[in-house]
Amino acid sequence: MAESKRRIPHFSYVEEIDVTELEDLRAQLNQKWGESRGKLTLLPLLARAMVVALRDFPQINARYDDEAGVVTRYGAVHIGIATQSDGGLMVPVMRHAEARDLWSMAAEIARLAQAVRDGSAGRDELSGSTITITSLGPLGGIVTTPVINHPEVGIVGVNRIVERPAIRNGAVVARKLMNLSSSFDHRVVDGMDAARFIQAVRALLEQPAMLFVE
């Protein structure tokens, strides 16, 4: 982490997401298939949104070799899942997220988290990510400033979901809102592209049917 902060000029961007429809969809999917396929958390849905959005922002699914001055972009999306353990923060990798469905993602995230916590995660499971998700779950706060997992160039942070009043069609209604707090390597990712990427993720999460349109 110290190396990341020393080397990388971080650009942070925070956006509020209305996840009311997304949470309704997640509840419906869990009610119908939770027993047979396993329960879905928010993370696989966010991972799916990132996979879809990254198609238009390949410069964010990348790693930057500081010494050689070389940026390598990846077609495959290998998502690091920042996970807390007794030994500190570790980042196991969900490989080929672009080829997985929601339940495969959920199962792999759970498997990796357990492997980190019981100390069985191998070196190959803890390296090779191309972009990272970090979440503090119910402790997620309102805003965070996540540190990029060097040598990646982007990290997406999940803050907690809160229910607050919002104006919809002139009426005050209760909505479920969540902030995404993300950081990018400003040497590789322009601020405008970072903002557009998060806005693309936001659009997918707020209209979750679009997550499944190829």
Side-chain angles (χ1 to χ4, degrees), residues 156-167:
V156 177
V158 181
N159 298 116
R160 70 172 178 264
I161 296 172
V162 296
E163 191 170 52
R164 293 204 301 268
I167 305 297

Side-chain angles (χ1 to χ4, degrees), residues 101-174:
D101 65 18
L102 293 178
W103 287 274
S104 173
M105 287 186 185
E108 183 66 355
I109 290 170
R111 185 191 73 78
L112 290 168
Q114 184 58 43
V116 164
R117 291 176 183 133
D118 65 22
S120 66
R123 179 170 296 184
D124 61 325
E125 294 174 309
L126 297 170
S127 62
S129 54
T130 57
I131 191 169
T132 291
I133 294 174
T134 182
S135 171
L136 291 174
L139 299 176
I142 298 173
V143 173
T144 53
T145 53
V147 178
I148 295 168
N149 184 24
H150 181 269
E152 296 165 28
V153 300
I155 184 169
V156 177
V158 181
N159 298 116
R160 70 172 178 264
I161 296 172
V162 296
E163 191 170 52
R164 293 204 301 268
I167 305 297
R168 291 292 185 275
N169 299 319
V172 179
V173 295

Side-chain angles (χ1 to χ4, degrees), residues 82-99:
T83 305
Q84 192 65 41
S85 71
D86 291 340
L89 186 68
M90 304 182 77
V91 186
V93 182
M94 176 173 62
R95 299 188 184 282
H96 289 287
E98 80 285 354

